Amino acid sequence: MDIDAKEFRNSDITVTYDPCKCILSGICARELSDVFSNSIIPWVNLDNTETKRVIKQINRCPSGALKYHKNNEKKQAS
Ligand code: SF4
């Protein structure tokens, strides 16, 4: 994982965000604004919706900047 990646956790998953990979498509904030904000810090709030919706949205990130792993599984290689 890159050194400046950010991590966000809820009880189910850990989400990582790598700003070096983000192409600022805005898809995450546009499609799931309860979780991904472009105006509030911290900009990822995993408590605002169900984990399965967060995972579905992360899988739509076109750059790979957003990734997740389940807290009870070994972390994915990046
Ligand atoms: S969907 Fe991915 S590439 Fe687009 S703004 Fe969000 S993190 Fe960046």
Side-chain angles (χ1 to χ4, degrees), residues 17 21-29 43 60-66:
Y17 169 67
K21 289 184 180 168
C22 179
I23 57 171
L24 302 175
S25 69
I27 290 173
C28 53
W43 77 281
R60 290 177 51 74
C61 173
S63 69
L66 286 171

Side-chain angles (χ1 to χ4, degrees), residues 59-71:
N59 287 336
R60 290 177 51 74
C61 173
S63 69
L66 286 171
K67 294 183 188 298
Y68 75 93
H69 63 268
K70 294 187 176 171
N71 292 337

